């Protein structure tokens, strides 16, 4: 299935590992009330009737009927993922457009 890219980078929607906790200092991680918050990056594509949010640092994806809902679902999937396994070392993601030639 062909996907249409909606946004290349969305950081505000996938800021934290725990709901309601946003890194105010812009750092990748911080400790608040014994809860570690991670700043992650998500890419959202529109595939058919769904918006699919992919975390670029962790191989976790989720979908929703809106881009906002796909991010909410991604946040929840990431939180559940980190309950059973340690959170990864987060590195900065650099996003860049790539132009390729297609056959005629």
């Amino acid at each position: 299935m062909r996907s249409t890219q909606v946004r290349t980078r969305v950081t505000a929607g996938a800021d934290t590992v725990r709901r309601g906790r946003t890194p105010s200092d812009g750092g990748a991680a911080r400790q608040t009330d014994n809860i570690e918050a991670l700043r992650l990056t998500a890419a959202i594509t529109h595939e058919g009737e769904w918006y699919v949010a992919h975390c670029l640092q962790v191989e976790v994806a989720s979908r929703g009927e809106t881009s906002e809902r796909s991010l909410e679902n991604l946040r929840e999937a990431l939180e559940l993922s980190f309950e059973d396994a340690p959170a990864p070392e987060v590195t900065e993601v650099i996003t860049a457009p790539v132009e390729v030639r297609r056959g005629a």
Side-chain angles (χ1 to χ4, degrees):
M1 178 187 306
R2 185 172 179 202
S3 66
T4 304
Q5 186 167 349
V6 176
R7 295 184 187 143
T8 36
R9 186 171 172 202
V10 178
T11 55
D15 282 336
T16 62
V17 174
R18 299 290 182 211
R19 276 195 183 113
R21 311 254 186 226
T22 308
S24 59
D25 60 358
R30 70 181 172 106
Q31 193 75 22
T32 305
D33 301 329
N34 295 325
I35 298 174
E36 183 181 2
L38 299 175
R39 184 173 201 78
L40 301 171
T41 304
I44 301 174
T45 55
H46 193 199
E47 300 181 17
E49 61 186 62
W50 297 100
Y51 288 86
V52 181
H54 305 265
C55 180
L56 299 180
Q57 291 98 337
V58 182
E59 292 194 26
V60 175
S62 192
R63 69 181 187 177
E65 292 181 349
T66 64
S67 60
E68 293 81 12
R69 186 65 184 153
S70 70
L71 283 173
E72 290 172 17
N73 293 341
L74 177 63
R75 185 178 298 111
E76 183 178 352
L78 287 164
E79 289 173 354
L80 291 170
S81 171
F82 297 151
E83 284 180 0
D84 297 331
E89 183 94 13
V90 177
T91 58
E92 180 183 357
V93 172
I94 298 171
T95 59
V98 177
E99 189 172 317
V100 296
R101 286 177 266 171
R102 301 187 305 166

XYZ file of all heavy atoms in Angstrom:
795
model
N 0.840 -1.170 0.000
C 0.000 0.000 0.000
C 0.893 1.243 0.000
O 1.848 1.322 0.746
C -0.883 -0.002 1.253
C -1.758 1.213 1.344
S -2.672 1.368 2.876
C -3.506 -0.158 2.986
N 0.574 2.206 -0.815
C 1.355 3.433 -0.891
C 0.930 4.383 0.216
O -0.255 4.546 0.475
C 1.128 4.083 -2.244
C 1.986 5.271 -2.440
C 1.880 5.770 -3.831
N 2.726 6.944 -3.935
C 2.591 7.862 -4.829
N 1.649 7.756 -5.733
N 3.392 8.887 -4.862
N 1.901 5.025 0.860
C 1.568 5.951 1.934
C 1.891 7.370 1.521
O 2.787 7.615 0.731
C 2.319 5.584 3.205
O 3.690 5.773 3.034
N 1.153 8.302 2.059
C 1.391 9.719 1.827
C 1.927 10.306 3.118
O 1.311 10.165 4.167
C 0.065 10.419 1.462
O -0.496 9.762 0.346
C 0.297 11.880 1.163
N 3.047 10.973 3.024
C 3.650 11.524 4.227
C 2.895 12.768 4.639
O 2.645 13.654 3.834
C 5.114 11.860 3.996
C 5.802 12.290 5.249
C 7.294 12.323 5.083
O 7.834 11.848 4.102
N 7.951 12.881 6.044
N 2.526 12.828 5.925
C 1.802 13.965 6.452
C 2.770 14.928 7.119
O 2.749 16.123 6.871
C 0.726 13.510 7.462
C 0.047 14.699 8.086
C -0.281 12.623 6.764
N 3.646 14.421 7.951
C 4.652 15.231 8.620
C 5.939 14.430 8.663
O 5.915 13.232 8.882
C 4.233 15.552 10.052
C 3.016 16.411 10.137
C 2.736 16.766 11.571
N 1.468 17.465 11.628
C 0.592 17.329 12.585
N 0.845 16.544 13.585
N -0.528 17.996 12.577
N 7.067 15.098 8.511
C 8.321 14.382 8.608
C 8.798 14.289 10.043
O 9.495 13.377 10.394
C 9.426 15.070 7.772
O 9.261 16.461 7.846
C 9.447 14.589 6.374
N 8.424 15.245 10.866
C 8.934 15.225 12.229
C 7.908 15.811 13.174
O 7.419 16.909 12.958
C 10.218 16.020 12.309
C 10.871 15.934 13.642
C 12.221 16.564 13.583
N 12.742 16.621 14.935
C 13.666 17.436 15.323
N 14.200 18.269 14.478
N 14.081 17.439 16.556
N 7.562 15.091 14.205
C 6.644 15.568 15.220
C 7.272 15.243 16.554
O 7.385 14.085 16.923
C 5.268 14.876 15.113
C 4.351 15.340 16.211
C 4.658 15.137 13.763
N 7.702 16.259 17.279
C 8.306 15.993 18.576
C 7.371 16.345 19.709
O 7.388 15.731 20.743
C 9.634 16.755 18.746
O 9.384 18.139 18.528
C 10.681 16.261 17.789
N 6.543 17.327 19.539
C 5.685 17.764 20.634
C 4.711 16.677 21.054
O 4.390 16.547 22.217
C 4.918 19.020 20.240
N 4.244 15.870 20.113
C 3.259 14.851 20.431
C 3.838 13.615 21.080
O 3.115 12.861 21.705
N 5.114 13.384 20.979
C 5.719 12.173 21.528
C 6.884 12.547 22.422
O 7.965 12.013 22.338
C 6.188 11.255 20.405
N 6.643 13.480 23.312
C 7.703 13.990 24.169
C 8.095 13.053 25.291
O 9.244 13.032 25.697
C 7.272 15.284 24.852
C 7.356 16.456 23.927
O 8.125 16.404 22.967
O 6.657 17.423 24.195
N 7.145 12.344 25.850
C 7.422 11.713 27.116
C 7.069 10.250 27.136
O 6.307 9.763 26.324
C 6.636 12.404 28.246
O 5.253 12.252 27.976
C 6.992 13.863 28.364
N 7.638 9.592 28.120
C 7.314 8.202 28.346
C 6.121 8.106 29.287
O 5.368 7.165 29.257
C 8.542 7.478 28.929
C 8.197 6.064 29.319
C 9.657 7.465 27.914
N 5.909 9.078 30.102
C 4.763 9.118 31.015
C 3.888 10.307 30.671
O 4.367 11.403 30.479
C 5.236 9.249 32.473
C 6.080 8.089 32.914
C 5.246 6.848 33.051
N 6.066 5.757 33.516
C 5.863 4.496 33.212
N 4.882 4.160 32.440
N 6.636 3.563 33.677
N 2.582 10.109 30.612
C 1.662 11.180 30.247
C 1.780 12.377 31.171
O 1.954 12.234 32.368
C 0.234 10.661 30.319
C -0.149 9.971 29.089
C -1.622 9.773 28.991
N -1.790 9.026 27.770
C -2.211 7.799 27.713
N -2.584 7.190 28.786
N -2.281 7.182 26.580
N 1.635 13.542 30.559
C 1.595 14.759 31.332
C 2.953 15.274 31.773
O 3.026 16.289 32.432
N 4.013 14.636 31.431
C 5.353 15.064 31.835
C 6.110 15.468 30.582
O 6.370 14.634 29.730
C 6.092 13.935 32.531
C 5.267 13.277 33.604
C 5.771 13.680 34.937
N 5.057 12.911 35.942
C 4.555 13.463 37.003
N 4.684 14.730 37.224
N 3.931 12.736 37.887
N 6.449 16.736 30.474
C 7.152 17.219 29.300
C 8.485 17.805 29.711
O 8.544 18.606 30.634
C 6.323 18.312 28.588
O 5.023 17.802 28.362
C 6.941 18.699 27.274
N 9.572 17.438 29.059
C 10.863 18.024 29.395
C 10.840 19.525 29.132
O 10.717 19.953 28.000
C 11.848 17.329 28.459
C 11.147 16.115 27.977
C 9.678 16.426 28.031
N 10.924 20.336 30.166
C 10.859 21.784 30.007
C 12.200 22.369 29.607
O 12.266 23.455 29.059
C 10.388 22.434 31.305
O 11.286 22.107 32.348
N 13.276 21.674 29.863
C 14.597 22.208 29.558
C 15.068 21.829 28.163
O 16.172 22.171 27.765
C 15.617 21.730 30.591
C 15.726 20.213 30.631
O 15.005 19.537 29.896
O 16.550 19.715 31.398
N 14.257 21.090 27.407
C 14.630 20.710 26.050
C 15.595 19.543 25.991
O 15.997 19.127 24.930
N 15.978 18.994 27.142
C 16.905 17.873 27.169
C 16.240 16.595 26.734
O 15.027 16.510 26.634
N 17.051 15.585 26.448
C 16.513 14.309 25.981
C 15.816 13.545 27.096
O 14.860 12.855 26.867
C 17.628 13.461 25.383
N 16.311 13.654 28.317
C 15.690 12.914 29.412
C 15.847 13.691 30.706
O 16.782 14.454 30.878
C 16.342 11.538 29.563
N 14.920 13.498 31.616
C 15.020 14.102 32.945
C 14.243 13.245 33.926
O 13.410 12.426 33.540
C 14.511 15.543 32.943
C 13.008 15.655 32.758
C 12.590 17.108 32.731
N 11.198 17.200 32.371
C 10.234 17.495 33.240
N 10.503 17.747 34.483
N 8.984 17.548 32.835
N 14.476 13.446 35.196
C 13.825 12.671 36.243
C 12.800 13.557 36.936
O 13.111 14.651 37.361
C 14.885 12.196 37.250
C 14.407 11.138 38.188
C 14.306 9.787 37.509
O 14.934 9.545 36.502
N 13.526 8.913 38.055
N 11.549 13.128 37.027
C 10.491 13.863 37.707
C 9.667 12.870 38.499
O 9.113 11.948 37.926
C 9.579 14.573 36.687
O 10.381 15.394 35.851
C 8.549 15.424 37.396
N 9.578 13.078 39.801
C 8.777 12.194 40.648
C 9.119 10.722 40.398
O 8.248 9.876 40.309
C 7.281 12.419 40.413
C 6.848 13.843 40.706
O 7.460 14.480 41.591
O 5.908 14.312 40.062
N 10.400 10.417 40.260
C 10.880 9.062 40.009
C 10.377 8.474 38.699
O 10.332 7.270 38.534
C 10.523 8.130 41.173
C 11.237 8.529 42.427
O 12.382 8.987 42.384
N 10.580 8.389 43.551
N 9.968 9.318 37.781
C 9.533 8.871 36.467
C 10.460 9.512 35.451
O 10.580 10.726 35.382
C 8.074 9.275 36.171
C 7.137 8.612 37.171
C 7.700 8.905 34.746
C 5.703 9.050 37.046
N 11.122 8.693 34.659
C 12.021 9.215 33.639
C 11.218 9.592 32.401
O 10.387 8.836 31.930
C 13.067 8.171 33.250
C 14.057 8.679 32.250
C 15.071 7.636 31.857
O 14.983 6.499 32.329
O 15.948 7.961 31.061
N 11.441 10.788 31.895
C 10.768 11.248 30.686
C 11.767 11.274 29.543
O 12.888 11.735 29.707
C 10.177 12.630 30.909
N 11.361 10.763 28.412
C 12.209 10.750 27.215
C 11.591 11.643 26.151
O 10.373 11.648 25.978
C 12.327 9.333 26.652
C 12.948 8.276 27.527
C 12.865 6.924 26.844
C 14.375 8.631 27.852
N 12.408 12.345 25.425
C 11.936 13.132 24.278
C 12.232 12.301 23.036
O 13.377 12.060 22.702
C 12.645 14.469 24.226
C 12.143 15.359 23.119
C 12.785 16.737 23.254
N 12.030 17.749 22.578
C 10.915 18.317 23.017
N 10.407 17.964 24.166
N 10.311 19.245 22.323
N 11.176 11.845 22.379
C 11.296 10.981 21.212
C 10.748 11.697 19.988
O 10.015 12.677 20.113
C 10.540 9.672 21.449
C 11.010 8.864 22.661
C 10.065 7.712 22.933
C 12.419 8.365 22.453
N 11.074 11.195 18.825
C 10.610 11.781 17.572
C 9.735 10.773 16.842
O 10.066 9.593 16.778
C 11.810 12.165 16.681
O 12.655 13.038 17.425
C 11.356 12.881 15.423
N 8.628 11.270 16.296
C 7.716 10.409 15.549
C 7.515 10.963 14.151
O 7.519 12.176 13.943
C 6.374 10.311 16.262
N 7.353 10.074 13.199
C 6.962 10.439 11.839
C 5.562 9.891 11.621
O 5.264 8.762 12.017
C 7.931 9.843 10.826
N 4.700 10.693 11.011
C 3.316 10.278 10.791
C 3.061 10.190 9.296
O 3.394 11.106 8.547
C 2.328 11.280 11.419
C 2.580 11.411 12.914
C 0.891 10.846 11.141
C 1.751 12.486 13.564
N 2.485 9.072 8.873
C 2.088 8.907 7.477
C 0.586 8.661 7.426
O -0.012 8.165 8.392
C 2.840 7.744 6.802
O 2.644 6.552 7.569
C 4.326 8.032 6.703
N -0.021 9.018 6.317
C -1.449 8.777 6.106
C -1.564 7.602 5.157
O -1.158 7.697 3.993
C -2.106 10.026 5.524
C -3.589 9.984 5.554
N -4.354 10.797 4.766
C -4.455 9.251 6.287
C -5.626 10.556 4.995
N -5.708 9.615 5.913
N -2.054 6.479 5.659
C -2.139 5.241 4.875
C -3.594 4.803 4.807
O -4.137 4.306 5.785
C -1.262 4.165 5.514
C 0.204 4.579 5.587
C 1.108 3.528 6.205
O 0.680 2.354 6.289
O 2.232 3.881 6.579
N -4.201 5.009 3.655
C -5.618 4.690 3.513
C -6.432 5.583 4.431
O -6.303 6.798 4.390
N -7.239 4.973 5.282
C -8.047 5.763 6.212
C -7.365 5.980 7.565
O -7.935 6.587 8.451
C -9.414 5.104 6.406
C -9.353 3.708 6.998
C -10.708 3.033 7.035
O -11.283 2.825 5.940
O -11.187 2.719 8.132
N -6.143 5.504 7.727
C -5.431 5.590 9.004
C -4.244 6.545 8.935
O -3.606 6.688 7.898
C -4.899 4.208 9.413
C -5.966 3.207 9.639
C -6.370 2.230 8.769
C -6.792 3.080 10.789
N -7.387 1.501 9.309
C -7.674 1.999 10.564
C -6.880 3.759 11.989
C -8.621 1.603 11.483
C -7.822 3.361 12.920
C -8.679 2.293 12.665
N -3.938 7.141 10.072
C -2.682 7.859 10.278
C -1.796 6.918 11.085
O -2.250 6.361 12.098
C -2.903 9.166 11.046
C -3.593 10.218 10.213
C -4.980 10.267 10.138
C -2.857 11.148 9.489
C -5.613 11.226 9.370
C -3.479 12.113 8.717
C -4.858 12.145 8.667
O -5.492 13.086 7.897
N -0.579 6.713 10.652
C 0.333 5.792 11.323
C 1.510 6.589 11.869
O 2.186 7.305 11.114
C 0.823 4.685 10.370
C 1.758 3.724 11.093
C -0.362 3.934 9.774
N 1.735 6.491 13.175
C 2.843 7.182 13.834
C 3.942 6.169 14.121
O 3.692 5.128 14.733
C 2.373 7.832 15.132
N 5.159 6.465 13.656
C 6.323 5.604 13.849
C 7.314 6.346 14.736
O 7.686 7.471 14.427
C 7.028 5.312 12.515
C 6.145 4.735 11.469
N 6.054 3.381 11.261
C 5.324 5.321 10.580
C 5.195 3.163 10.266
N 4.746 4.325 9.844
N 7.762 5.715 15.817
C 8.825 6.296 16.625
C 10.137 6.040 15.907
O 10.425 4.908 15.519
C 8.849 5.677 18.022
S 10.145 6.382 19.060
N 10.944 7.091 15.719
C 12.169 6.940 14.939
C 13.336 6.382 15.751
O 14.284 5.868 15.171
C 12.554 8.288 14.320
C 11.512 8.874 13.369
C 11.994 10.206 12.816
C 11.170 7.916 12.248
N 13.297 6.466 17.079
C 14.391 5.929 17.893
C 14.121 4.511 18.380
O 15.034 3.789 18.745
C 14.645 6.812 19.125
C 15.227 8.156 18.804
C 14.155 9.243 18.762
O 12.983 8.990 18.565
N 14.587 10.471 18.938
N 12.877 4.112 18.429
C 12.472 2.798 18.930
C 11.545 2.195 17.883
O 10.721 2.892 17.307
C 11.713 2.931 20.274
C 11.336 1.582 20.836
C 12.526 3.718 21.290
N 11.651 0.924 17.636
C 10.802 0.296 16.622
C 9.417 0.006 17.176
O 9.046 -1.138 17.433
C 11.475 -0.960 16.088
C 12.720 -0.634 15.292
C 13.219 -1.807 14.488
O 12.409 -2.692 14.143
O 14.423 -1.832 14.215
N 8.656 1.082 17.354
C 7.280 0.999 17.821
C 6.457 1.912 16.930
O 6.887 3.013 16.594
C 7.154 1.443 19.303
C 5.701 1.483 19.753
C 7.959 0.528 20.211
N 5.279 1.444 16.530
C 4.381 2.232 15.695
C 2.959 2.012 16.183
O 2.656 1.017 16.850
C 4.510 1.830 14.233
N 2.086 2.955 15.847
C 0.683 2.826 16.186
C -0.128 3.605 15.168
O 0.413 4.387 14.399
C 0.420 3.344 17.603
O -0.873 2.960 18.019
N -1.431 3.406 15.160
C -2.276 4.091 14.202
C -3.504 4.684 14.888
O -3.860 4.314 16.003
C -2.701 3.159 13.077
C -3.647 2.080 13.515
C -3.994 1.186 12.372
N -5.047 0.244 12.797
C -5.616 -0.624 12.016
N -5.244 -0.704 10.766
N -6.550 -1.433 12.461
N -4.156 5.599 14.181
C -5.373 6.220 14.677
C -6.114 6.870 13.527
O -5.575 7.040 12.434
N -7.348 7.267 13.782
C -8.158 7.890 12.736
C -7.752 9.333 12.463
O -8.113 9.901 11.443
C -9.635 7.802 13.093
C -10.143 6.368 13.059
C -11.605 6.251 13.396
O -12.216 7.235 13.866
O -12.153 5.158 13.189
N -6.982 9.948 13.391
C -6.427 11.283 13.195
C -4.946 11.228 13.549
O -4.498 10.299 14.218
C -7.103 12.324 14.104
O -6.824 12.007 15.469
C -8.617 12.364 13.880
N -4.181 12.242 13.121
C -2.766 12.257 13.471
C -2.585 12.391 14.981
O -1.700 11.762 15.560
C -2.031 13.376 12.732
O -2.567 14.637 13.050
N -3.445 13.172 15.629
C -3.356 13.321 17.082
C -3.618 12.001 17.799
O -2.930 11.643 18.741
C -4.350 14.391 17.579
C -4.025 15.784 17.118
C -4.483 16.083 15.683
O -5.259 15.285 15.096
O -4.028 17.112 15.145
N -4.628 11.264 17.322
C -4.954 9.975 17.939
C -3.833 8.963 17.708
O -3.528 8.154 18.591
C -6.279 9.445 17.393
C -6.757 8.196 18.069
C -7.092 8.450 19.527
N -7.462 7.185 20.136
C -7.328 6.913 21.406
N -6.878 7.823 22.234
N -7.665 5.742 21.866
N -3.206 9.004 16.530
C -2.102 8.077 16.284
C -0.943 8.365 17.239
O -0.284 7.442 17.710
C -1.641 8.141 14.825
O -0.991 9.350 14.534
N -0.695 9.644 17.569
C 0.357 9.986 18.537
C -0.015 9.553 19.949
O 0.833 9.068 20.700
C 0.647 11.483 18.507
C 1.474 11.959 17.333
C 1.556 13.476 17.321
C 2.857 11.349 17.362
N -1.283 9.724 20.321
C -1.735 9.255 21.634
C -1.537 7.750 21.747
O -1.042 7.251 22.765
C -3.213 9.591 21.840
C -3.509 11.055 22.014
C -5.010 11.339 22.010
O -5.816 10.392 22.193
O -5.371 12.513 21.811
N -1.915 7.030 20.699
C -1.757 5.575 20.695
C -0.281 5.179 20.710
O 0.100 4.207 21.368
C -2.458 4.963 19.486
C -3.961 5.105 19.568
O -4.520 5.323 20.641
N -4.617 5.001 18.440
N 0.559 5.934 19.992
C 1.994 5.660 19.997
C 2.573 5.874 21.391
O 3.356 5.069 21.881
C 2.717 6.548 18.982
C 4.234 6.392 18.941
C 4.624 4.985 18.515
C 4.847 7.430 18.015
N 2.186 6.967 22.037
C 2.673 7.243 23.393
C 2.313 6.086 24.335
O 3.139 5.603 25.095
C 2.089 8.558 23.909
C 2.648 8.966 25.260
C 2.093 10.295 25.755
N 2.451 11.376 24.855
C 1.586 12.031 24.076
N 0.310 11.709 24.065
N 1.995 13.011 23.300
N 1.070 5.624 24.241
C 0.639 4.514 25.087
C 1.418 3.239 24.773
O 1.855 2.519 25.675
C -0.859 4.265 24.899
C -1.403 3.181 25.795
C -2.904 2.991 25.636
O -3.569 3.789 24.954
O -3.410 2.009 26.206
N 1.632 2.953 23.478
C 2.394 1.760 23.088
C 3.827 1.839 23.601
O 4.387 0.844 24.062
C 2.370 1.592 21.565
N 4.430 3.025 23.531
C 5.799 3.199 24.036
C 5.848 2.994 25.544
O 6.744 2.326 26.065
C 6.332 4.581 23.662
C 6.691 4.766 22.193
C 6.824 6.245 21.857
C 7.965 4.009 21.859
N 4.880 3.567 26.259
C 4.834 3.397 27.718
C 4.739 1.923 28.082
O 5.442 1.452 28.976
C 3.659 4.173 28.304
C 3.843 5.665 28.261
C 2.600 6.429 28.680
O 1.537 5.802 28.901
O 2.699 7.659 28.797
N 3.875 1.193 27.388
C 3.736 -0.239 27.653
C 5.016 -0.987 27.308
O 5.427 -1.893 28.024
C 2.555 -0.806 26.864
C 1.176 -0.336 27.331
C 0.108 -0.776 26.331
C 0.864 -0.832 28.718
N 5.661 -0.606 26.231
C 6.910 -1.234 25.823
C 7.996 -1.045 26.874
O 8.766 -1.965 27.168
C 7.364 -0.641 24.485
O 8.655 -1.061 24.158
N 8.058 0.143 27.460
C 9.097 0.443 28.442
C 8.809 -0.156 29.818
O 9.670 -0.177 30.674
C 9.314 1.943 28.565
C 9.810 2.582 27.296
C 9.507 3.898 27.006
C 10.578 1.872 26.380
C 9.964 4.490 25.837
C 11.030 2.448 25.209
C 10.724 3.764 24.947
N 7.589 -0.658 30.037
C 7.285 -1.341 31.298
C 8.028 -2.664 31.390
O 8.427 -3.082 32.462
C 5.783 -1.585 31.429
C 4.999 -0.345 31.784
C 3.517 -0.618 31.907
O 3.085 -1.787 31.722
O 2.772 0.331 32.175
N 8.192 -3.351 30.258
C 8.804 -4.680 30.235
C 10.284 -4.681 29.883
O 10.963 -5.680 30.067
C 8.064 -5.584 29.236
C 6.620 -5.810 29.646
O 6.330 -5.776 30.854
O 5.792 -6.013 28.746
N 10.768 -3.584 29.328
C 12.169 -3.506 28.912
C 12.690 -2.118 29.263
O 11.927 -1.161 29.309
C 12.282 -3.746 27.412
N 13.974 -2.010 29.497
C 14.517 -0.689 29.813
C 14.384 0.250 28.612
O 14.440 -0.183 27.463
C 15.986 -0.963 30.132
C 16.290 -2.273 29.509
C 15.000 -3.047 29.480
N 14.181 1.524 28.915
C 14.112 2.522 27.855
C 15.475 2.620 27.182
O 16.507 2.481 27.832
C 13.700 3.870 28.446
N 15.483 2.840 25.894
C 16.751 2.889 25.165
C 17.505 4.184 25.430
O 16.932 5.168 25.892
C 16.303 2.834 23.707
C 14.986 3.542 23.728
C 14.346 3.109 25.036
N 18.765 4.161 25.105
C 19.564 5.387 25.088
C 19.048 6.198 23.905
O 19.002 5.712 22.782
C 21.031 5.030 24.886
C 21.950 6.191 24.916
C 22.524 6.423 26.300
O 22.396 5.540 27.169
O 23.107 7.479 26.495
N 18.605 7.414 24.160
C 18.001 8.225 23.112
C 19.055 9.102 22.459
O 19.803 9.792 23.141
C 16.858 9.096 23.672
C 16.284 9.988 22.593
C 15.775 8.218 24.258
N 19.109 9.041 21.135
C 20.017 9.884 20.381
C 19.195 10.846 19.537
O 18.037 10.576 19.219
C 20.927 9.045 19.450
O 20.093 8.290 18.571
C 21.810 8.105 20.248
N 19.803 11.954 19.178
C 19.118 12.934 18.350
C 18.868 12.351 16.967
O 19.721 11.673 16.403
C 19.963 14.194 18.224
C 19.308 15.260 17.380
C 20.182 16.486 17.204
O 21.269 16.533 17.779
O 19.765 17.381 16.471
N 17.694 12.625 16.442
C 17.341 12.171 15.104
C 17.440 13.367 14.164
O 16.929 14.442 14.459
C 15.906 11.609 15.064
C 15.477 11.321 13.641
C 15.802 10.368 15.916
N 18.119 13.177 13.065
C 18.186 14.209 12.048
C 17.284 13.771 10.906
O 17.463 12.682 10.349
C 19.633 14.398 11.547
C 20.519 14.844 12.710
C 19.677 15.390 10.402
C 21.994 14.852 12.385
N 16.305 14.591 10.593
C 15.420 14.258 9.481
C 15.788 15.131 8.287
O 16.136 16.294 8.444
C 13.939 14.477 9.854
O 13.747 15.837 10.221
C 13.526 13.565 10.990
N 15.726 14.549 7.120
C 16.057 15.282 5.903
C 15.242 14.720 4.751
O 15.035 13.516 4.664
C 17.550 15.150 5.600
N 14.777 15.582 3.867
C 14.070 15.080 2.690
C 15.046 14.396 1.740
O 16.211 14.778 1.651
C 13.489 16.345 2.054
C 14.341 17.462 2.556
C 14.863 17.023 3.895
N 14.580 13.367 1.071
C 15.391 12.633 0.101
C 14.622 12.588 -1.197
O 13.479 12.137 -1.232
C 15.697 11.193 0.591
C 16.470 10.438 -0.456
C 16.405 11.220 1.917
N 15.233 13.062 -2.257
C 14.583 13.046 -3.568
C 15.155 11.898 -4.386
O 16.359 11.743 -4.479
C 14.840 14.373 -4.288
C 14.044 14.530 -5.547
C 14.182 15.933 -6.125
O 14.127 16.899 -5.351
O 14.366 16.017 -7.352
N 14.281 11.060 -4.929
C 14.716 9.925 -5.755
C 13.988 9.995 -7.100
O 12.902 10.534 -7.206
C 14.440 8.571 -5.071
C 15.245 8.444 -3.798
C 12.974 8.394 -4.779
N 14.618 9.429 -8.111
C 14.005 9.378 -9.431
C 13.188 8.099 -9.553
O 13.594 7.050 -9.072
C 15.063 9.416 -10.511
C 15.665 10.794 -10.667
C 16.744 10.770 -11.682
N 17.953 10.569 -10.881
C 19.139 10.321 -11.350
N 19.317 10.191 -12.638
N 20.168 10.188 -10.572
N 12.042 8.218 -10.186
C 11.198 7.054 -10.434
C 11.216 6.738 -11.913
O 11.385 7.620 -12.737
C 9.745 7.326 -10.015
C 9.603 7.678 -8.569
C 8.178 7.779 -8.146
N 7.398 8.711 -8.970
C 6.087 8.761 -8.954
N 5.397 7.945 -8.185
N 5.440 9.618 -9.699
N 11.034 5.467 -12.221
C 10.980 5.057 -13.633
C 9.733 5.607 -14.305
O 8.707 5.823 -13.693
N 9.826 5.828 -15.597
C 8.687 6.403 -16.354
C 7.619 5.399 -16.607
O 7.632 4.280 -16.635
C 9.177 6.967 -17.674
